């Protein structure tokens, strides 16, 4: 008697051959289900490159599974019978294949997990949800570490993860180089004369071209362009991207990871996050490749430690906090921010060159590196008091590597301080001086970064001090803000009033139109 198959449901960010839901799959009996559903394309208006990347990567992954001998039931977005939702597509597939049960891997977003709890009822068969063990810190271990901590801090979590994995550790159990963190060495602006690494790109094949045509026709009005799509969409090409980064860019990544330069979109950044977050690369593989480069003398320790910290430390920490604090975390708004997101985030013209450059890069690539996101677009959103939910929806929509587990804590806590300091010990607010020090954007701007008042003053300057003045009741008691508030105390009352007036006029002129 033929046994009924198990349906293995693979989501779009679970494109790993070692994913838990495939680990014991029987190619001769089981069926793999993959579905491009409309619900996942419209809950925010995703950048078309993001949609195309995921759909193409999904189709390539399905082809690889078929080549292994698996039966893959793949539902395309333009299938007339596609119901547009995970739950109903699962139910249809269970019926088609007379599946005995369903196996899935824990999703990356709370809203999907919430829906997943109803799938047994929808599908009419048992649904097993397995832990997503592609991450280096299991969620139970993170919960145990965070238990009882009023304000957990990433640095201490990172040290524990270094000890647990052995990455960048000496034989005696001490951190390589005698320090856990080389961040102080990684804040150099890019000098005028410095050769940039060659670009890594993948030419779209026929399958990707079909997806690009589909996405272009289906989402013509979404923010962003499909032109120049050159991302890897297979695990093998993602590994080539990793090798390219290690060979050509890792050595200088540390020094210049916080720098920005007009006309140089990627500098020495790896742009591996899309592949990590979709499952095309494994985080341990990426960290091991970087460590090997240091041990082989191909990259300095400050570069390798800074890179590994982003993956082993920050990425794992953010994910842990997301699942620890959701769903209530997203509802906090400590600073009472309530301004609608300005249209400049969607491409409306602005005279602020730094914002114009970062938004345009985002429009073209669906990517910007962490300092552009934190200290330009994020800093501006913080200073103007933009509504957290709108800012978070923007970041989730426009970046190719954005899923709520990684986007929400970074934006809600790190960028907007909306959680009141649970994630970050102080707001990452800054005047134009920071952007001037770390980039050449200000040299090409109509505003003068050295002026804080008047028609030519950089808006970041008066917005920063206006923020400090307005948020004094919430922030003055923060010990990390003591020097700032001491400076404010020495500022003449007339100047404070002028700053507030200019900031008020500027904010009143912001428009949501684009």
């Amino acid at each position: 008697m033929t046994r009924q198959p198990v349906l293995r449901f693979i989501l779009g960010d679970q494109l790993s051959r070692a994913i838990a839901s495939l680990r014991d799959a029987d190619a001769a009996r089981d069926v793999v289900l993959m579905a491009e559903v409309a619900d996942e394309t419209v809950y925010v208006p995703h950048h078309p490159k993001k949609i195309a990347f995921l759909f193409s990567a999904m189709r390539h992954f399905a082809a690889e599974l078929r080549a292994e001998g698996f039966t893959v039931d793949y539902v395309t977005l333009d299938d007339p019978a596609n119901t547009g939702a995970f739950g109903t597509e699962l139910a249809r597939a269970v019926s088609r294949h007379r599946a005995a049960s369903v196996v899935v891997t824990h999703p990356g977003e709370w809203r999907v997990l919430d829906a997943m709890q109803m799938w047994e009822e929808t599908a009419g068969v048992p649904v097993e949800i397995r832990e997503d063990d592609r991450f280096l810190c299991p969620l139970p271990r993170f919960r145990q570490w965070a238990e009882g901590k009023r304000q957990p801090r990433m640095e201490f979590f990172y040290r524990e993860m270094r000890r647990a994995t052995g990455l960048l550790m000496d034989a005696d159990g001490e951190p390589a180089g005698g320090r856990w963190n080389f961040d102080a060495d990684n804040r150099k602006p890019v000098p005028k004369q410095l050769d940039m690494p060659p670009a890594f790109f993948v030419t779209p094949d026929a399958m990707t071209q079909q997806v690009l045509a589909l996405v272009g026709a289906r989402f013509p009005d979404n923010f962003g362009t499909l032109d120049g799509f050159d991302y890897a969409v297979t695990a093998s090409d993602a590994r080539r991207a990793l090798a390219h980064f290690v060979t050509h860019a890792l050595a200088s990544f540390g020094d210049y990871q916080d720098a920005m330069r007009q006309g140089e979109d990627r500098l020495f950044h790896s742009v591996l996050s899309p592949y990590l977050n979709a499952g095309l690369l494994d985080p341990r593989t990426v960290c091991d490749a970087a460590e090997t480069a240091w041990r082989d003398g191909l990259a300095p320790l400050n570069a390798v430690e800074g890179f590994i910290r982003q993956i082993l430390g920050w990425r794992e920490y953010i994910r842990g906090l997301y699942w620890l604090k959701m769903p209530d975390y997203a509802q906090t708004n400590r600073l009472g921010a309530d301004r609608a997101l300005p249209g400049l985030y969607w491409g409306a013209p602005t005279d602020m060159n730094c914002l114009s450059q970062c938004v345009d890069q985002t429009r073209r690539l669906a990517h910007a590196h962490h300092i552009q996101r934190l200290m330009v677009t994020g800093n501006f959103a913080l200073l103007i008091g933009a509504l957290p939910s709108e800012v978070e929806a923007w970041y989730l929509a426009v970046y190719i590597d954005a899923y709520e587990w990684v986007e929400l804590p970074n934006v809600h806590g790190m960028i907007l301080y909306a959680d009141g300091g649970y994630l970050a010990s102080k707001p990452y607010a800054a005047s134009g001086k920071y952007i001037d020090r770390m980039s050449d954007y200000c040299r090409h701007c109509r505003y003068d970064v050295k002026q804080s008042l008047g028609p030519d003053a950089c808006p970041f300057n008066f917005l920063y001090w206006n923020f400090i003045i307005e948020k004094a009741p919430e922030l003055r008691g923060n010990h990390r803000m003591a020097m700032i508030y001491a400076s404010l105390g020495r500022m003449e009352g007339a100047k404070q009033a002028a700053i507030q007036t200019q900031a008020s006029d500027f904010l009143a002129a912001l428009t949501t139109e684009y």
Side-chain angles (χ1 to χ4, degrees), residues 322-458:
Y322 175 81
W323 287 107
L324 181 70
K325 304 299 288 185
M326 283 296 282
D328 296 337
Y329 184 74
Q331 308 309 314
T332 56
N333 187 359
R334 174 65 178 275
L335 298 180
D338 59 3
R339 186 175 302 280
L341 194 69
L344 64 87
Y345 281 87
W346 301 107
T350 175
D351 287 339
M352 300 177 70
N353 185 53
C354 57
L355 280 168
S356 179
Q357 293 296 321
C358 292
V359 171
D360 182 64
Q361 178 179 321
T362 298
R363 180 190 64 81
R364 290 183 288 106
L365 303 181
H367 185 271
H369 68 70
H370 65 280
I371 292 298
Q372 292 171 313
R373 300 190 204 192
L374 175 64
M375 301 308 299
V376 181
T377 53
N379 185 26
F380 188 73
L382 171 68
L383 296 182
I384 68 172
L387 185 66
S389 60
E390 291 196 9
V391 182
E392 290 148 18
W394 183 79
Y395 277 89
L396 188 58
V398 303
Y399 289 117
I400 193 171
D401 53 5
Y403 304 87
E404 194 180 66
W405 69 264
V406 65
E407 171 275 323
L408 181 63
N410 270 305
V411 178
H412 197 79
M414 186 75 167
I415 288 177
L416 299 178
Y417 201 72
D419 64 0
Y422 184 77
L423 176 59
S425 57
K426 72 177 185 66
Y428 274 80
S431 69
K433 290 180 181 178
Y434 178 87
I435 297 170
D436 188 37
R437 182 169 71 251
M438 298 308 301
S439 78
D440 63 352
Y441 292 151
C442 301
R443 296 178 214 165
H444 306 281
C445 189
R446 92 127 184 103
Y447 293 110
D448 185 350
V449 72
K450 294 181 171 55
Q451 293 187 37
S452 58
L453 284 170
D456 296 325
C458 171

Side-chain angles (χ1 to χ4, degrees), residues 20-54:
S21 45
L22 286 179
R23 198 159 295 147
D24 58 350
D26 181 350
R29 175 174 62 94
D30 296 342
V31 175
V32 177
L33 172 66
M34 301 180 71
E36 302 167 359
V37 296
D39 280 1
E40 295 303 298
T41 67
V42 298
Y43 68 93
V44 292
H46 296 288
H47 195 297
K49 273 193 170 80
K50 180 181 183 181
I51 301 172
F53 164 69
L54 283 171

Side-chain angles (χ1 to χ4, degrees), residues 7-198:
L7 196 63
R8 312 280 178 156
F9 195 3
I10 303 299
L11 306 184
D13 59 350
Q14 298 177 348
L15 308 181
S16 307
R17 183 58 186 87
I19 196 76
S21 45
L22 286 179
R23 198 159 295 147
D24 58 350
D26 181 350
R29 175 174 62 94
D30 296 342
V31 175
V32 177
L33 172 66
M34 301 180 71
E36 302 167 359
V37 296
D39 280 1
E40 295 303 298
T41 67
V42 298
Y43 68 93
V44 292
H46 296 288
H47 195 297
K49 273 193 170 80
K50 180 181 183 181
I51 301 172
F53 164 69
L54 283 171
F55 283 2
S56 180
M58 288 169 65
R59 293 185 185 193
H60 282 85
F61 187 67
E64 291 170 3
L65 291 177
R66 288 188 180 114
E68 277 191 54
F70 279 96
T71 297
V72 180
D73 185 347
Y74 194 100
V75 184
T76 61
L77 186 69
D78 54 356
D79 183 337
N82 189 333
T83 61
F86 282 148
T88 46
E89 283 309 299
L90 178 65
R92 288 204 311 131
V94 167
S95 177
R96 278 196 301 274
H97 302 286
R98 299 183 180 180
S101 63
V102 175
V103 175
V104 296
T105 297
H106 194 286
E109 301 196 347
W110 179 271
R111 63 180 180 82
V112 179
L113 180 63
D114 191 43
M116 202 176 270
Q117 311 297 331
M118 303 299 295
W119 286 0
E120 280 199 5
E121 182 178 339
T122 304
V125 296
V127 176
E128 178 189 354
I129 304 174
R130 295 181 176 177
E131 181 184 354
D132 188 350
D133 56 10
R134 295 173 297 171
F135 291 85
L136 297 169
C137 182
L139 292 177
R141 178 175 183 169
F142 185 89
R143 291 190 192 100
Q144 183 180 24
W145 173 83
E147 186 177 3
K149 293 179 173 66
R150 187 175 64 87
Q151 289 184 315
R153 290 291 174 251
M154 190 280 288
E155 179 64 25
F156 301 108
F157 168 78
Y158 170 56
R159 293 179 187 185
E160 182 168 311
M161 291 302 295
R162 289 271 295 276
R163 294 187 184 100
T165 60
L167 285 163
L168 296 180
M169 298 296 291
D170 292 338
D172 60 0
E174 294 299 311
R179 290 160 55 188
W180 291 104
N181 188 313
F182 288 81
D183 196 42
D185 301 335
N186 295 346
R187 300 169 182 167
K188 299 177 183 177
V190 179
K192 290 182 179 180
Q193 301 299 322
L194 182 67
D195 291 336
M196 294 293 118

